[in-house]
Amino acid sequence: MDKKEIIELLQSTGREREILLKRAAEVKKQVVGNKVYFRGLVEFSNVCSKDCLYCGIRKSNKKVVRYNATDSEILDSCRFALENRFGSVVLQSGEVSSPVFVKRVDNLLKTIKKLSDGELGITLSCGEQSRETYARWFESGAHRYLLRIESSNPELYYKIHPKNKNHSFERRLESLRFLKETGYQVGTGVMVGLPFQTYDDLANDLLFFKEIDIDMCGMGPYIEHEGTPLYEFRGSLKTKAERFDLSLKMIACLRLLMPDINIAAATALQAIDPAGREKALAVGANVIMPNLTPCIYRKEYQLYEGKPCLDEDAELCRNCLEARIEISGNEIGYGEWGDSKHFANRTKK
Ligand code: SF4
C-alpha cells in the first residue's frame, strides 16, 4: 500500500470500511492465527523526569501522588502472572535513568527470571535509556521493549512534547535503533486523533513502522487529560467515537501492511468503548495486557482520563478478559511467550 491508498482506507466508511476490517481479520487469522497472548502489566512507578504535553503523570502535574511499588509487590504480581500462566509480564514506569533506577530494574529482571525458572517472558517499557543500559537489561533477561514514538512527524512531535533536550525526537529515533541493535523485539506506536494530527501524518506513521521494521505495535486513541497543557486544544479534536473508529482502521491497515507483527489491543480503546479491546482483536490485534498493578497505585498511573479497570484486582481482571476473549472467537495462548513472528522472520534472514 502506498500513502494515498492508506489515507483512503483510513477515511473509508460503509462498505469499504467493512471490507478493510474483514480483510485485516482474515490476514491476522492466516498469518498469526487466532491466539491472543497475555502480557501482565505492572506499572511499577509513576515517577517521571519528562513533561510530555499529553500525559497525566508528567513531571509538572503536582496533583499526582508519586509512588514506587516495592520489590515484593512487583514480584507478587509476577508470581500471579506465572501461576495464572500468562506467559509474560511487562514492567512499565515513567522515564528515569539514574544509576539507582537502572540497577533496580536490573535486579528485578534477574529475580523474575529466577523465580519463574526462566518461564516468564519480560517486556520493558521504561523509556529512553543509554545503549549500555539497554544492553545490561537485555543481558539480565528482558527480551522485548516498548518505546512509542507517539508521532513520526517531527513537527507534530514537538507540538505534543516540549522542544528541549529532554524531549528530543532524534534521541527517540536513536533509542529505537539502539534497542534493535541490542537484539530486543522492538515495539513502538502512536496516539490516534491527536490535536493537529492529519490523515497524512497517520499514513506516514504506518509507513514509518514498516520502514524501521518494527516487531510489535501498540496504538490507541488519544484521550485528553485535564491536568495537561494539550487539554487546551480539546475543542479541535475529533469526537471520541471517531478517534476510536480511526484507531481500529489504523490497526487494520497495519495488519495488512505488516502481517506477521504482534499488535496490542490498547487499554485506551476500552476507555471509549466497553468492548473496545475485543473489537481491536477482531480486526488485527493479537496481544492484550491485563493490568497486574497493585490496586492501591492504579489511580495514580493515569496517562489519560477514564482509564478502565482501576478497581479490578488481578483476579477479576483476568476473569473478565478471559470471558471477553472467548466471546470474540479468539483463544488465549496460556503459558506461551507469543513472540513476534516478524522478529523470528527478520532475524533468521
Ligand atoms: S508519556 Fe511517559 S515519558 Fe512522557 S511524561 Fe508520561 S510517563 Fe513520562
Side-chain angles (χ1 to χ4, degrees):
M1 289 190 287
D2 63 17
K3 188 157 90 180
K4 189 168 161 281
E5 286 167 317
I6 296 174
I7 292 175
E8 278 170 13
L9 290 173
L10 295 178
Q11 293 178 328
S12 63
T13 55
R15 183 152 163 71
E16 275 164 16
R17 173 186 176 276
E18 289 312 312
I19 292 171
L20 163 67
L21 302 186
K22 191 162 170 255
R23 183 74 193 120
E26 284 164 7
V27 169
K28 175 191 155 185
K29 200 163 177 196
Q30 278 162 19
V31 181
V32 295
N34 70 344
K35 268 196 190 163
V36 175
Y37 300 103
F38 275 178
R39 315 273 186 247
L41 176 64
V42 189
E43 298 152 330
F44 67 93
S45 169
N46 66 354
V47 178
C48 187
S49 61
K50 283 190 149 179
D51 246 334
C52 305
L53 303 177
Y54 48 83
C55 178
I57 64 167
R58 60 199 301 270
K59 189 182 174 193
S60 300
N61 189 354
K62 303 292 178 219
K63 288 191 183 155
V64 173
V65 178
R66 303 290 161 175
Y67 72 84
N68 253 309
T70 63
D71 284 7
S72 123
E73 287 167 332
I74 297 168
L75 297 174
D76 279 350
S77 295
C78 294
R79 262 184 221 103
F80 179 92
L82 184 67
E83 282 158 13
N84 288 277
R85 303 181 61 229
F86 278 16
S88 297
V89 288
V90 180
L91 299 187
Q92 187 172 73
S93 67
E95 192 173 306
V96 176
S97 47
S98 66
V100 173
F101 179 82
V102 171
K103 189 165 178 230
R104 181 177 188 220
V105 173
D106 195 51
N107 286 339
L108 280 166
L109 291 167
K110 289 178 186 149
T111 313
I112 295 166
K113 279 287 158 191
K114 203 164 162 203
L115 82 81
S116 71
D117 206 11
E119 224 180 279
L120 277 179
I122 309 176
T123 307
L124 285 177
S125 179
C126 303
E128 294 162 22
Q129 304 288 341
S130 68
R131 190 196 276 272
E132 293 68 37
T133 298
Y134 287 146
R136 180 172 172 185
W137 289 346
F138 186 75
E139 284 298 307
S140 297
H143 75 293
R144 295 184 286 238
Y145 205 104
L146 299 172
L147 185 70
R148 279 190 179 202
I149 188 80
E150 303 301 3
S151 171
S152 62
N153 173 354
E155 268 180 43
L156 179 55
Y157 189 87
Y158 285 119
K159 283 182 179 158
I160 61 171
H161 297 93
K163 197 166 189 176
N164 60 31
K165 239 181 35 229
N166 205 21
H167 300 81
S168 156
F169 180 73
E170 290 306 320
R171 183 163 144 82
R172 199 87 178 160
L173 290 182
E174 186 185 61
S175 298
L176 285 167
R177 187 164 51 78
F178 286 165
L179 287 165
K180 199 161 183 187
E181 286 169 3
T182 306
Y184 285 95
Q185 293 175 45
V186 179
T188 190
V190 293
M191 282 178 287
V192 180
L194 283 161
F196 320 114
Q197 190 181 47
T198 62
Y199 284 104
D200 203 72
D201 288 326
L202 290 169
N204 280 333
D205 288 338
L206 294 177
L207 293 169
F208 167 81
F209 298 156
K210 177 99 178 158
E211 186 193 320
I212 67 161
D213 207 15
I214 60 169
D215 304 303
M216 322 179 288
C217 186
M219 284 186 290
Y222 164 70
I223 300 174
E224 61 276 29
H225 189 297
E226 201 179 352
T228 65
L230 224 54
Y231 194 68
E232 180 190 332
F233 301 100
R234 64 194 179 282
S236 67
L237 295 172
K238 290 181 169 35
T239 64
K240 283 191 177 163
E242 285 166 342
R243 280 175 263 165
F244 178 85
D245 190 58
L246 195 47
S247 302
L248 286 190
K249 288 189 271 193
M250 282 287 283
I251 291 172
C253 285
L254 183 59
R255 179 55 75 199
L256 297 182
L257 205 58
M258 303 190 75
D260 58 355
I261 65 169
N262 276 351
I263 303 179
T267 310
L269 290 159
Q270 199 180 321
I272 294 183
D273 181 330
R277 287 192 280 184
E278 296 88 304
K279 288 183 182 171
L281 293 176
V283 301
N286 66 329
V287 166
I288 215 153
M289 291 159 65
N291 199 336
L292 300 186
T293 308
C295 282
I296 46 164
Y297 301 127
R298 286 198 199 172
K299 75 173 177 20
E300 302 301 343
Y301 204 97
Q302 291 199 67
L303 310 192
Y304 53 85
E305 278 174 357
K307 189 174 169 187
C309 311
L310 290 184
D311 300 321
E312 275 186 17
D313 67 13
E315 189 78 45
L316 271 174
C317 184
R318 187 206 60 187
N319 292 342
C320 163
L321 278 176
E322 281 177 344
R324 285 162 180 269
I325 290 166
E326 253 174 50
I327 291 165
S328 75
N330 286 280
E331 183 193 327
I332 300 168
Y334 282 113
E336 297 181 50
W337 282 12
D339 279 339
S340 161
K341 280 195 175 175
H342 186 78
F343 178 78
N345 292 334
R346 82 170 163 84
T347 48
K348 83 175 167 221
K349 276 177 201 159

